[in-house]
Amino acid sequence: MKILVVDDDRFNLTVANEFIQKSGIECEVTLCNDPIEVEGLMKEKNFDIVFLDIVMPKMTGIDVLKQIRKNQDYNNIQVIMLTSLTDSKSFKSCFENGADDYVNKPINKIEFFARFKAAVKTRNNALMLKEMFDRIKKQNKELLELNKTLKDTQFHVIQKEKMAAIGELAAGVAHEINNPLGYLGSNLETLAKFVPRIQTMIEEYRTFISKQKTLVEDRDINEKISRIRDIEKQLKIDFVISEIGEIIKDSTDGVDRVSKIVGSLQSFAKTGFEDEMVLNDLNMIIDEAVLLLNNDLKRVAIIKKNYGGIPNIFCNKSQIGQVILNLITNSLQAISSQNRFDGEIIIETYRENNMVCCTISDDGPGIEDNIISKIFNPFFTTKEVGSATGVGLSISHDIIVKKYNGEFDVESIPNIRTKFKFKLPVGNN
Ligand SMILES: Nc1ncnc2c1ncn2[C@@H]1O[C@H](COP(=O)(O)OP(=O)(O)OP(=O)(O)O)[C@@H](O)[C@H]1O
Ligand SMILES: [Mg+2]
Protein backbone atom coordinates (compact mmCIF):
# COMPACT_ATOMS: atom_id res chain seq x y z
CA MET A 1 0.00 0.00 0.00
CA LYS A 2 1.22 3.49 -0.74
CA ILE A 3 0.30 5.89 2.02
CA LEU A 4 0.50 9.68 2.15
CA VAL A 5 0.27 11.52 5.46
CA VAL A 6 -0.23 15.29 5.29
CA ASP A 7 0.12 17.34 8.45
CA ASP A 8 1.91 20.63 9.16
CA ASP A 9 2.93 19.30 12.56
CA ARG A 10 6.02 17.10 12.29
CA PHE A 11 5.22 15.35 15.56
CA ASN A 12 1.90 14.12 14.20
CA LEU A 13 3.65 12.90 11.08
CA THR A 14 6.09 10.87 13.13
CA VAL A 15 3.35 9.32 15.24
CA ALA A 16 1.23 8.42 12.24
CA ASN A 17 4.23 6.93 10.49
CA GLU A 18 5.12 4.83 13.54
CA PHE A 19 1.60 3.45 13.85
CA ILE A 20 1.46 2.64 10.16
CA GLN A 21 4.77 0.78 10.32
CA LYS A 22 3.55 -1.17 13.33
CA SER A 23 0.27 -2.13 11.71
CA GLY A 24 1.77 -5.24 10.11
CA ILE A 25 0.60 -4.10 6.70
CA GLU A 26 3.30 -3.72 4.10
CA CYS A 27 3.41 -0.03 3.27
CA GLU A 28 5.42 2.64 1.56
CA VAL A 29 4.81 5.85 3.49
CA THR A 30 5.29 9.41 2.25
CA LEU A 31 5.20 12.17 4.86
CA CYS A 32 4.35 15.71 3.81
CA ASN A 33 4.11 18.85 5.96
CA ASP A 34 3.22 21.25 3.16
CA PRO A 35 -0.28 20.86 1.66
CA ILE A 36 0.79 22.78 -1.48
CA GLU A 37 3.01 19.83 -2.40
CA VAL A 38 0.16 17.32 -2.32
CA GLU A 39 -0.96 17.85 -5.90
CA GLY A 40 2.51 17.10 -7.25
CA LEU A 41 3.00 14.10 -5.00
CA MET A 42 -0.34 12.63 -6.05
CA LYS A 43 0.71 12.81 -9.69
CA GLU A 44 4.08 11.29 -8.94
CA LYS A 45 2.97 8.37 -6.78
CA ASN A 46 -0.03 6.18 -6.99
CA PHE A 47 -1.33 6.53 -3.41
CA ASP A 48 -3.89 4.15 -2.00
CA ILE A 49 -4.65 5.93 1.26
CA VAL A 50 -4.22 9.58 2.28
CA PHE A 51 -4.26 10.84 5.89
CA LEU A 52 -5.10 14.52 5.84
CA ASP A 53 -4.90 17.11 8.58
CA ILE A 54 -7.68 19.69 8.47
CA VAL A 55 -6.19 22.81 9.97
CA MET A 56 -3.03 23.81 8.14
CA PRO A 57 -1.63 27.29 7.44
CA LYS A 58 -1.24 27.52 3.65
CA MET A 59 -4.16 25.43 2.59
CA THR A 60 -6.84 23.69 4.65
CA GLY A 61 -7.26 19.92 4.54
CA ILE A 62 -10.76 20.42 3.12
CA ASP A 63 -9.33 22.35 0.17
CA VAL A 64 -6.76 19.61 -0.42
CA LEU A 65 -9.60 17.06 -0.21
CA LYS A 66 -11.61 19.02 -2.80
CA GLN A 67 -8.56 19.11 -5.07
CA ILE A 68 -8.13 15.33 -4.79
CA ARG A 69 -11.77 14.54 -5.47
CA LYS A 70 -11.87 16.78 -8.54
CA ASN A 71 -9.74 14.22 -10.34
CA GLN A 72 -11.75 11.18 -11.49
CA ASP A 73 -8.64 8.98 -11.35
CA TYR A 74 -8.43 9.47 -7.58
CA ASN A 75 -12.03 8.39 -7.01
CA ASN A 76 -11.17 5.21 -5.19
CA ILE A 77 -8.36 6.60 -3.02
CA GLN A 78 -9.28 6.37 0.64
CA VAL A 79 -9.00 9.76 2.37
CA ILE A 80 -8.96 9.77 6.17
CA MET A 81 -9.12 13.16 7.89
CA LEU A 82 -6.91 13.81 10.93
CA THR A 83 -8.88 16.12 13.18
CA SER A 84 -8.87 17.68 16.58
CA LEU A 85 -12.02 19.57 15.69
CA THR A 86 -15.15 18.42 17.31
CA ASP A 87 -17.61 20.81 15.72
CA SER A 88 -20.17 19.12 13.53
CA LYS A 89 -19.83 21.75 10.74
CA SER A 90 -16.28 20.63 9.87
CA PHE A 91 -17.30 16.99 9.98
CA LYS A 92 -20.16 17.68 7.64
CA SER A 93 -17.90 19.56 5.25
CA CYS A 94 -15.32 16.71 5.28
CA PHE A 95 -17.84 14.05 4.38
CA GLU A 96 -19.66 16.26 1.88
CA ASN A 97 -16.40 16.77 0.04
CA GLY A 98 -15.61 13.09 -0.21
CA ALA A 99 -13.72 12.08 2.94
CA ASP A 100 -14.05 8.40 3.72
CA ASP A 101 -13.30 8.44 7.43
CA TYR A 102 -11.59 10.38 10.22
CA VAL A 103 -9.13 9.83 13.09
CA ASN A 104 -9.16 12.00 16.19
CA LYS A 105 -6.11 13.93 17.34
CA PRO A 106 -4.13 13.37 19.45
CA ILE A 107 -3.87 10.06 17.68
CA ASN A 108 -5.05 7.07 19.63
CA LYS A 109 -3.31 3.84 18.61
CA ILE A 110 -6.36 1.56 18.75
CA GLU A 111 -8.59 3.98 16.86
CA PHE A 112 -5.87 4.61 14.26
CA PHE A 113 -5.35 0.87 13.61
CA ALA A 114 -9.08 0.25 13.32
CA ARG A 115 -9.63 3.11 10.82
CA PHE A 116 -6.46 2.29 8.90
CA LYS A 117 -7.31 -1.41 8.50
CA ALA A 118 -10.84 -0.57 7.38
CA ALA A 119 -9.43 1.80 4.78
CA VAL A 120 -6.94 -0.84 3.55
CA LYS A 121 -9.79 -3.33 3.21
CA THR A 122 -12.00 -0.87 1.31
CA ARG A 123 -9.11 0.14 -0.93
CA ASN A 124 -8.29 -3.50 -1.71
CA ASN A 125 -11.93 -4.20 -2.53
CA ALA A 126 -12.05 -1.15 -4.76
CA LEU A 127 -8.88 -2.24 -6.57
CA MET A 128 -10.30 -5.72 -7.06
CA LEU A 129 -13.56 -4.29 -8.36
CA LYS A 130 -11.72 -2.00 -10.72
CA GLU A 131 -9.66 -4.86 -12.05
CA MET A 132 -12.81 -6.92 -12.57
CA PHE A 133 -14.52 -3.97 -14.23
CA ASP A 134 -11.55 -3.43 -16.55
CA ARG A 135 -11.51 -7.11 -17.42
CA ILE A 136 -15.24 -7.12 -18.18
CA LYS A 137 -14.84 -3.94 -20.21
CA LYS A 138 -12.04 -5.54 -22.21
CA GLN A 139 -14.01 -8.73 -22.71
CA ASN A 140 -17.05 -6.70 -23.73
CA LYS A 141 -14.96 -4.83 -26.29
CA GLU A 142 -13.63 -8.10 -27.64
CA LEU A 143 -17.18 -9.48 -27.81
CA LEU A 144 -18.38 -6.39 -29.68
CA GLU A 145 -15.52 -6.72 -32.16
CA LEU A 146 -16.23 -10.40 -32.57
CA ASN A 147 -19.88 -9.66 -33.11
CA LYS A 148 -19.03 -7.10 -35.76
CA THR A 149 -16.69 -9.50 -37.53
CA LEU A 150 -19.39 -12.13 -37.38
CA LYS A 151 -21.95 -9.75 -38.84
CA ASP A 152 -19.56 -8.65 -41.58
CA THR A 153 -18.75 -12.23 -42.42
CA GLN A 154 -22.42 -13.18 -42.44
CA PHE A 155 -23.16 -10.21 -44.68
CA HIS A 156 -20.41 -11.09 -47.10
CA VAL A 157 -21.42 -14.73 -47.21
CA ILE A 158 -25.00 -13.75 -47.97
CA GLN A 159 -23.86 -11.14 -50.48
CA LYS A 160 -21.66 -13.66 -52.27
CA GLU A 161 -24.35 -16.33 -52.17
CA LYS A 162 -26.98 -13.92 -53.43
CA MET A 163 -24.79 -12.74 -56.29
CA ALA A 164 -23.72 -16.24 -57.15
CA ALA A 165 -27.28 -17.58 -56.97
CA ILE A 166 -28.65 -14.81 -59.18
CA GLY A 167 -25.74 -15.22 -61.55
CA GLU A 168 -26.14 -18.96 -61.84
CA LEU A 169 -29.89 -18.71 -62.24
CA ALA A 170 -29.61 -16.06 -64.90
CA ALA A 171 -26.86 -17.90 -66.73
CA GLY A 172 -28.93 -21.11 -66.64
CA VAL A 173 -32.12 -19.43 -67.83
CA ALA A 174 -30.27 -17.57 -70.56
CA HIS A 175 -28.68 -20.79 -71.76
CA GLU A 176 -32.02 -22.60 -71.80
CA ILE A 177 -33.73 -19.81 -73.73
CA ASN A 178 -30.91 -19.45 -76.20
CA ASN A 179 -31.55 -22.77 -77.94
CA PRO A 180 -35.25 -22.40 -78.75
CA LEU A 181 -34.54 -18.78 -79.56
CA GLY A 182 -32.03 -19.93 -82.12
CA TYR A 183 -34.40 -22.15 -84.08
CA LEU A 184 -37.31 -19.68 -83.67
CA GLY A 185 -35.15 -17.08 -85.34
CA SER A 186 -33.96 -19.27 -88.15
CA ASN A 187 -37.47 -20.69 -88.73
CA LEU A 188 -38.84 -17.18 -88.98
CA GLU A 189 -36.14 -16.31 -91.46
CA THR A 190 -37.03 -19.36 -93.55
CA LEU A 191 -40.74 -18.58 -93.26
CA ALA A 192 -40.07 -15.04 -94.41
CA LYS A 193 -38.41 -16.51 -97.52
CA PHE A 194 -41.22 -19.04 -98.12
CA VAL A 195 -44.11 -16.62 -97.87
CA PRO A 196 -43.36 -14.67 -101.08
CA ARG A 197 -43.13 -18.01 -102.91
CA ILE A 198 -46.58 -19.04 -101.64
CA GLN A 199 -47.91 -15.58 -102.51
CA THR A 200 -46.53 -15.91 -106.05
CA MET A 201 -48.05 -19.38 -106.37
CA ILE A 202 -51.48 -18.20 -105.21
CA GLU A 203 -51.33 -15.33 -107.66
CA GLU A 204 -50.52 -17.88 -110.41
CA TYR A 205 -53.51 -20.06 -109.43
CA ARG A 206 -55.78 -17.04 -109.41
CA THR A 207 -54.67 -15.89 -112.82
CA PHE A 208 -55.10 -19.43 -114.12
CA ILE A 209 -58.58 -19.75 -112.63
CA SER A 210 -59.75 -16.39 -113.98
CA LYS A 211 -58.56 -17.43 -117.44
CA GLN A 212 -60.32 -20.82 -117.11
CA LYS A 213 -63.67 -19.12 -116.67
CA THR A 214 -63.46 -17.35 -119.98
CA LEU A 215 -62.16 -20.35 -121.85
CA VAL A 216 -64.19 -23.26 -120.55
CA GLU A 217 -67.93 -23.53 -120.88
CA ASP A 218 -67.95 -26.63 -118.74
CA ARG A 219 -70.61 -26.18 -116.05
CA ASP A 220 -68.89 -28.58 -113.73
CA ILE A 221 -65.61 -26.71 -113.81
CA ASN A 222 -67.38 -23.39 -113.29
CA GLU A 223 -68.97 -24.76 -110.15
CA LYS A 224 -65.59 -25.96 -108.86
CA ILE A 225 -64.06 -22.55 -109.55
CA SER A 226 -66.78 -20.76 -107.68
CA ARG A 227 -66.36 -23.22 -104.80
CA ILE A 228 -62.65 -22.36 -104.63
CA ARG A 229 -63.56 -18.67 -104.62
CA ASP A 230 -65.99 -19.24 -101.75
CA ILE A 231 -63.32 -21.06 -99.75
CA GLU A 232 -60.91 -18.18 -100.48
CA LYS A 233 -63.47 -15.76 -99.09
CA GLN A 234 -64.25 -17.90 -96.06
CA LEU A 235 -60.57 -18.27 -95.19
CA LYS A 236 -60.03 -14.54 -95.86
CA ILE A 237 -57.00 -15.41 -97.97
CA ASP A 238 -56.56 -11.78 -99.12
CA PHE A 239 -56.35 -10.66 -95.51
CA VAL A 240 -53.99 -13.53 -94.60
CA ILE A 241 -51.68 -12.64 -97.48
CA SER A 242 -51.65 -8.96 -96.58
CA GLU A 243 -51.03 -9.65 -92.87
CA ILE A 244 -48.59 -12.51 -93.05
CA GLY A 245 -45.59 -10.33 -93.83
CA GLU A 246 -46.37 -8.02 -90.95
CA ILE A 247 -46.76 -10.96 -88.56
CA ILE A 248 -43.43 -12.41 -89.52
CA LYS A 249 -41.79 -9.02 -89.13
CA ASP A 250 -43.27 -8.55 -85.65
CA SER A 251 -42.21 -12.04 -84.63
CA THR A 252 -38.68 -11.43 -85.87
CA ASP A 253 -38.56 -8.18 -83.90
CA GLY A 254 -39.78 -10.08 -80.84
CA VAL A 255 -37.12 -12.74 -81.21
CA ASP A 256 -34.46 -10.03 -81.63
CA ARG A 257 -35.66 -8.40 -78.46
CA VAL A 258 -35.62 -11.62 -76.46
CA SER A 259 -32.13 -12.28 -77.84
CA LYS A 260 -30.99 -8.92 -76.57
CA ILE A 261 -32.47 -9.58 -73.14
CA VAL A 262 -30.80 -12.96 -72.98
CA GLY A 263 -27.58 -11.29 -74.06
CA SER A 264 -27.81 -8.75 -71.22
CA LEU A 265 -28.66 -11.50 -68.77
CA GLN A 266 -25.62 -13.44 -69.85
CA SER A 267 -23.32 -10.47 -69.65
CA PHE A 268 -24.68 -9.54 -66.19
CA ALA A 269 -24.38 -13.09 -65.02
CA LYS A 270 -20.83 -13.83 -66.00
CA THR A 271 -20.16 -15.75 -62.80
CA GLY A 272 -16.87 -17.06 -64.04
CA PHE A 273 -15.50 -13.58 -64.71
CA GLU A 274 -16.38 -11.83 -61.47
CA ASP A 275 -13.16 -9.93 -61.41
CA GLU A 276 -12.98 -9.12 -65.08
CA MET A 277 -12.47 -5.37 -65.39
CA VAL A 278 -12.74 -3.70 -68.75
CA LEU A 279 -13.71 -0.31 -70.15
CA ASN A 280 -17.50 -0.07 -70.29
CA ASP A 281 -20.06 2.47 -71.38
CA LEU A 282 -22.23 3.17 -68.33
CA ASN A 283 -25.14 4.30 -70.54
CA MET A 284 -25.13 0.89 -72.21
CA ILE A 285 -25.06 -0.94 -68.89
CA ILE A 286 -28.09 1.09 -67.80
CA ASP A 287 -29.91 0.27 -71.05
CA GLU A 288 -29.36 -3.43 -70.50
CA ALA A 289 -30.56 -3.23 -66.90
CA VAL A 290 -33.70 -1.36 -68.00
CA LEU A 291 -34.31 -4.00 -70.64
CA LEU A 292 -34.18 -6.73 -68.01
CA LEU A 293 -36.71 -4.93 -65.82
CA ASN A 294 -38.85 -3.74 -68.69
CA ASN A 295 -41.78 -5.99 -67.92
CA ASP A 296 -42.23 -4.61 -64.42
CA LEU A 297 -41.34 -1.09 -65.49
CA LYS A 298 -44.09 -1.06 -68.12
CA ARG A 299 -46.76 -1.71 -65.53
CA VAL A 300 -45.56 0.69 -62.87
CA ALA A 301 -43.68 3.67 -64.22
CA ILE A 302 -42.28 5.43 -67.20
CA ILE A 303 -38.55 5.72 -67.46
CA LYS A 304 -37.02 8.99 -68.57
CA LYS A 305 -33.42 8.74 -69.63
CA ASN A 306 -31.23 11.76 -69.73
CA TYR A 307 -27.84 10.52 -70.78
CA GLY A 308 -24.86 12.79 -71.01
CA GLY A 309 -21.81 12.25 -73.16
CA ILE A 310 -19.66 10.39 -70.65
CA PRO A 311 -16.30 8.69 -70.96
CA ASN A 312 -16.03 4.95 -70.42
CA ILE A 313 -15.48 3.58 -66.96
CA PHE A 314 -13.13 0.80 -66.05
CA CYS A 315 -15.37 -1.73 -64.33
CA ASN A 316 -16.91 -5.13 -64.11
CA LYS A 317 -20.16 -4.90 -66.01
CA SER A 318 -22.09 -7.37 -63.89
CA GLN A 319 -21.17 -5.56 -60.66
CA ILE A 320 -22.22 -2.11 -61.87
CA GLY A 321 -25.24 -3.70 -63.56
CA GLN A 322 -26.25 -5.15 -60.23
CA VAL A 323 -26.09 -1.72 -58.57
CA ILE A 324 -28.37 -0.26 -61.25
CA LEU A 325 -30.75 -3.22 -61.04
CA ASN A 326 -30.92 -2.80 -57.24
CA LEU A 327 -31.66 0.93 -57.49
CA ILE A 328 -34.31 0.64 -60.20
CA THR A 329 -35.90 -2.32 -58.41
CA ASN A 330 -36.12 -0.27 -55.20
CA SER A 331 -37.79 2.59 -57.10
CA LEU A 332 -40.23 0.17 -58.71
CA GLN A 333 -41.07 -1.42 -55.37
CA ALA A 334 -41.47 1.99 -53.73
CA ILE A 335 -43.93 3.19 -56.40
CA SER A 336 -45.79 -0.14 -56.40
CA SER A 337 -46.20 0.09 -52.63
CA GLN A 338 -48.51 3.04 -53.28
CA ASN A 339 -50.58 0.93 -55.71
CA ARG A 340 -49.70 3.36 -58.47
CA PHE A 341 -49.09 2.70 -62.12
CA ASP A 342 -48.12 6.22 -63.14
CA GLY A 343 -44.70 6.46 -61.51
CA GLU A 344 -41.82 8.34 -63.03
CA ILE A 345 -38.25 7.15 -62.79
CA ILE A 346 -35.57 9.48 -64.10
CA ILE A 347 -32.10 8.19 -64.91
CA GLU A 348 -29.37 10.71 -65.61
CA THR A 349 -25.71 10.35 -66.40
CA TYR A 350 -23.14 13.09 -66.63
CA ARG A 351 -19.53 13.88 -66.03
CA GLU A 352 -18.28 15.77 -62.96
CA ASN A 353 -14.52 16.44 -63.11
CA ASN A 354 -12.84 13.04 -63.08
CA MET A 355 -15.95 11.16 -62.15
CA VAL A 356 -18.84 9.70 -64.08
CA CYS A 357 -22.11 10.29 -62.23
CA CYS A 358 -25.39 8.46 -62.38
CA THR A 359 -28.59 9.44 -60.61
CA ILE A 360 -31.70 7.30 -60.37
CA SER A 361 -34.70 9.05 -58.90
CA ASP A 362 -38.36 8.26 -58.43
CA ASP A 363 -41.53 10.01 -57.34
CA GLY A 364 -42.49 7.26 -54.90
CA PRO A 365 -43.20 7.55 -51.16
CA GLY A 366 -39.59 8.47 -50.31
CA ILE A 367 -37.58 7.80 -47.19
CA GLU A 368 -38.32 9.43 -43.84
CA ASP A 369 -35.50 11.29 -42.04
CA ASN A 370 -35.50 8.88 -39.12
CA ILE A 371 -34.53 5.88 -41.26
CA ILE A 372 -32.47 7.41 -44.04
CA SER A 373 -29.22 6.90 -42.11
CA LYS A 374 -29.95 3.18 -41.78
CA ILE A 375 -30.84 2.18 -45.32
CA PHE A 376 -27.25 1.30 -46.25
CA ASN A 377 -26.93 -1.03 -43.26
CA PRO A 378 -26.87 -4.72 -44.12
CA PHE A 379 -30.25 -6.39 -43.49
CA PHE A 380 -32.12 -3.12 -43.02
CA THR A 381 -35.48 -3.34 -44.73
CA THR A 382 -38.93 -1.85 -44.32
CA LYS A 383 -40.41 -4.46 -46.60
CA GLU A 384 -42.47 -7.42 -45.48
CA VAL A 385 -40.59 -10.26 -43.83
CA GLY A 386 -39.79 -12.84 -46.46
CA SER A 387 -40.20 -10.46 -49.39
CA ALA A 388 -36.82 -8.73 -48.98
CA THR A 389 -33.51 -9.29 -47.27
CA GLY A 390 -32.45 -5.67 -46.96
CA VAL A 391 -29.06 -6.16 -48.57
CA GLY A 392 -29.59 -4.47 -51.95
CA LEU A 393 -28.28 -1.06 -50.95
CA SER A 394 -25.49 -2.31 -48.71
CA ILE A 395 -24.21 -4.52 -51.52
CA SER A 396 -24.44 -1.60 -53.95
CA HIS A 397 -22.71 0.75 -51.51
CA ASP A 398 -19.97 -1.82 -50.97
CA ILE A 399 -19.41 -2.19 -54.71
CA ILE A 400 -19.30 1.53 -55.49
CA VAL A 401 -17.40 2.80 -52.45
CA LYS A 402 -15.13 -0.10 -51.50
CA LYS A 403 -14.49 -1.80 -54.83
CA TYR A 404 -14.35 1.29 -57.05
CA ASN A 405 -13.40 4.11 -54.67
CA GLY A 406 -16.55 5.85 -55.75
CA GLU A 407 -19.21 7.77 -53.86
CA PHE A 408 -22.80 6.87 -53.06
CA ASP A 409 -25.46 9.27 -51.72
CA VAL A 410 -29.16 9.56 -51.28
CA GLU A 411 -31.53 12.44 -50.76
CA SER A 412 -35.24 12.18 -50.32
CA ILE A 413 -38.20 14.50 -50.02
CA PRO A 414 -40.99 12.10 -49.12
CA ASN A 415 -43.74 11.90 -51.75
CA ILE A 416 -41.89 14.31 -54.04
CA ARG A 417 -38.62 12.72 -55.17
CA THR A 418 -36.04 10.25 -53.91
CA LYS A 419 -32.71 10.39 -55.62
CA PHE A 420 -29.81 7.96 -55.38
CA LYS A 421 -26.54 9.14 -56.86
CA PHE A 422 -23.33 7.29 -57.41
CA LYS A 423 -20.04 8.44 -58.87
CA LEU A 424 -17.29 6.32 -60.39
CA PRO A 425 -13.81 7.33 -61.38
CA VAL A 426 -13.30 7.80 -65.12
CA GLY A 427 -11.57 4.75 -66.58
CA ASN A 428 -7.96 5.26 -67.54
CA ASN A 429 -6.81 1.76 -68.44
N1 LIG B 1 -36.35 4.43 -53.93
C1 LIG B 1 -36.71 4.20 -52.67
N2 LIG B 1 -37.83 4.77 -52.17
C2 LIG B 1 -38.21 4.54 -50.88
N3 LIG B 1 -37.52 3.76 -50.01
C3 LIG B 1 -36.41 3.18 -50.45
C4 LIG B 1 -35.94 3.35 -51.79
N4 LIG B 1 -34.80 2.65 -51.92
C5 LIG B 1 -34.57 2.05 -50.73
N5 LIG B 1 -35.52 2.35 -49.84
C6 LIG B 1 -35.59 1.92 -48.43
O1 LIG B 1 -34.34 1.37 -48.07
C7 LIG B 1 -34.51 0.05 -47.54
C8 LIG B 1 -33.28 -0.78 -47.86
O2 LIG B 1 -33.18 -0.99 -49.27
P1 LIG B 1 -32.40 -2.26 -49.78
O3 LIG B 1 -32.43 -2.25 -51.25
O4 LIG B 1 -31.08 -2.32 -49.11
O5 LIG B 1 -33.22 -3.48 -49.19
P2 LIG B 1 -34.65 -4.01 -49.63
O6 LIG B 1 -35.05 -3.44 -50.94
O7 LIG B 1 -35.58 -3.80 -48.49
O8 LIG B 1 -34.34 -5.59 -49.78
P3 LIG B 1 -33.49 -6.30 -50.94
O9 LIG B 1 -32.90 -5.24 -51.79
O10 LIG B 1 -32.46 -7.10 -50.22
O11 LIG B 1 -34.48 -7.13 -51.67
C9 LIG B 1 -35.79 -0.46 -48.18
O12 LIG B 1 -36.40 -1.47 -47.41
C10 LIG B 1 -36.62 0.83 -48.22
O13 LIG B 1 -37.22 1.08 -46.98
MG1 LIG C 1 -33.70 -3.46 -52.57
Side-chain angles (χ1 to χ4, degrees):
M1 287 271 137
K2 287 186 181 164
I3 319 286
L4 172 67
V5 187
V6 188
D7 198 315
D8 60 316
D9 182 336
R10 286 188 190 274
F11 176 72
N12 282 337
L13 288 177
T14 318
V15 175
N17 186 27
E18 196 186 315
F19 287 166
I20 293 169
Q21 303 298 350
K22 283 184 180 164
S23 69
I25 297 164
E26 206 176 300
C27 294
E28 181 193 319
V29 185
T30 305
L31 301 174
C32 165
N33 67 348
D34 183 358
I36 305 291
E37 288 174 8
V38 173
E39 200 176 5
L41 283 170
M42 296 286 295
K43 275 188 199 143
E44 200 179 301
K45 297 189 178 179
N46 221 353
F47 291 116
D48 297 293
I49 298 169
V50 177
F51 286 96
L52 197 53
D53 184 22
I54 297 182
V55 185
M56 290 181 285
K58 293 186 201 158
M59 196 177 171
T60 73
I62 291 176
D63 287 337
V64 178
L65 176 66
K66 282 183 191 166
Q67 197 181 60
I68 294 175
R69 288 305 185 218
K70 242 198 282 175
N71 190 331
Q72 291 274 330
D73 294 343
Y74 304 153
N75 252 353
N76 288 321
I77 292 177
Q78 293 290 300
V79 180
I80 301 172
M81 305 308 285
L82 296 169
T83 171
S84 50
L85 298 169
T86 43
D87 69 300
S88 55
K89 225 172 129 193
S90 297
F91 267 128
K92 199 168 167 254
S93 179
C94 287
F95 288 114
E96 273 176 1
N97 286 297
D100 297 291
D101 209 342
Y102 71 95
V103 170
N104 277 305
K105 283 201 302 194
I107 302 172
N108 168 295
K109 193 175 171 184
I110 297 174
E111 187 192 356
F112 187 89
F113 277 169
R115 307 276 195 209
F116 180 48
K117 281 187 177 159
V120 170
K121 204 168 164 186
T122 311
R123 174 64 177 166
N124 276 335
N125 284 342
L127 286 176
M128 213 165 72
L129 265 177
K130 187 170 179 309
E131 197 201 312
M132 266 164 69
F133 179 73
D134 287 347
R135 213 172 39 221
I136 290 174
K137 224 165 96 176
K138 192 173 153 242
Q139 282 172 345
N140 205 25
K141 197 172 157 239
E142 281 167 8
L143 266 177
L144 280 174
E145 275 164 13
L146 209 69
N147 200 20
K148 192 181 169 297
T149 319
L150 212 69
K151 258 197 160 164
D152 283 355
T153 316
Q154 185 190 23
F155 168 58
H156 281 110
V157 169
I158 290 187
Q159 170 179 349
K160 269 219 156 103
E161 265 179 16
K162 191 173 170 173
M163 280 178 90
I166 292 172
E168 250 170 60
L169 193 77
V173 170
H175 181 77
E176 285 302 311
I177 294 176
N178 242 351
N179 234 1
L181 213 57
Y183 57 74
L184 258 178
S186 70
N187 284 358
L188 278 172
E189 222 175 277
T190 317
L191 258 182
K193 281 182 202 150
F194 286 174
V195 166
R197 292 195 214 166
I198 295 169
Q199 280 172 328
T200 315
M201 206 57 228
I202 289 175
E203 282 311 313
E204 276 306 313
Y205 287 142
R206 281 182 171 171
T207 319
F208 173 75
I209 287 166
S210 59
K211 277 181 187 157
Q212 285 301 317
K213 195 190 162 194
T214 50
L215 294 176
V216 186
E217 283 303 320
D218 183 335
R219 204 167 151 248
D220 201 28
I221 286 189
N222 279 342
E223 253 173 37
K224 281 176 185 156
I225 289 172
S226 92
R227 204 175 99 73
I228 287 173
R229 286 202 170 120
D230 284 349
I231 292 174
E232 254 193 54
K233 260 190 200 149
Q234 265 173 27
L235 296 180
K236 297 182 180 160
I237 293 299
D238 277 337
F239 176 73
V240 169
I241 288 172
S242 71
E243 285 291 295
I244 208 161
E246 209 44 41
I247 289 169
I248 289 177
K249 193 182 166 299
D250 279 357
S251 307
T252 313
D253 287 351
V255 168
D256 283 350
R257 224 174 135 65
V258 178
S259 282
K260 262 194 189 162
I261 295 174
V262 170
S264 333
L265 254 184
Q266 277 176 323
S267 72
F268 273 13
K270 271 188 188 165
T271 47
F273 303 103
E274 261 193 11
D275 295 324
E276 186 190 72
M277 301 274 281
V278 287
L279 281 175
N280 278 296
D281 177 0
L282 181 64
N283 292 343
M284 246 166 71
I285 302 181
I286 298 172
D287 278 342
E288 291 192 357
V290 169
L291 202 65
L292 286 179
L293 293 174
N294 204 29
N295 191 38
D296 292 327
L297 280 170
K298 265 192 318 219
R299 288 183 289 117
V300 177
I302 52 160
I303 288 253
K304 290 188 179 163
K305 293 177 187 168
N306 191 1
Y307 291 165
I310 48 172
N312 285 342
I313 49 170
F314 189 64
C315 71
N316 176 292
K317 193 169 167 187
S318 80
Q319 284 167 355
I320 301 303
Q322 178 168 24
V323 173
I324 294 158
L325 282 176
N326 281 340
L327 291 178
I328 302 178
T329 305
N330 278 348
S331 289
L332 275 176
Q333 290 170 341
I335 296 166
S336 300
S337 75
Q338 298 177 304
N339 292 323
R340 285 170 52 208
F341 311 99
D342 59 347
E344 183 191 69
I345 297 174
I346 302 175
I347 306 179
E348 291 180 309
T349 58
Y350 53 94
R351 182 180 185 154
E352 217 176 72
N353 303 323
N354 256 346
M355 304 289 258
V356 168
C357 306
C358 172
T359 68
I360 296 182
S361 71
D362 64 74
D363 60 351
I367 307 164
E368 296 292 342
D369 276 355
N370 58 334
I371 65 159
I372 204 156
S373 61
K374 300 184 194 151
I375 60 170
F376 292 108
N377 291 350
F379 309 115
F380 177 83
T381 182
T382 54
K383 291 163 197 170
E384 242 173 74
V385 184
S387 73
T389 12
V391 297
L393 283 179
S394 49
I395 289 176
S396 306
H397 192 273
D398 230 34
I399 293 176
I400 299 293
V401 177
K402 290 201 186 145
K403 285 206 166 90
Y404 291 90
N405 283 326
E407 290 170 29
F408 206 146
D409 287 312
V410 58
E411 52 190 56
S412 179
I413 307 171
N415 290 314
I416 307 280
R417 195 147 278 280
T418 298
K419 188 191 258 187
F420 284 86
K421 172 175 175 181
F422 66 84
K423 294 186 192 180
L424 291 169
V426 170
N428 49 9
N429 282 54

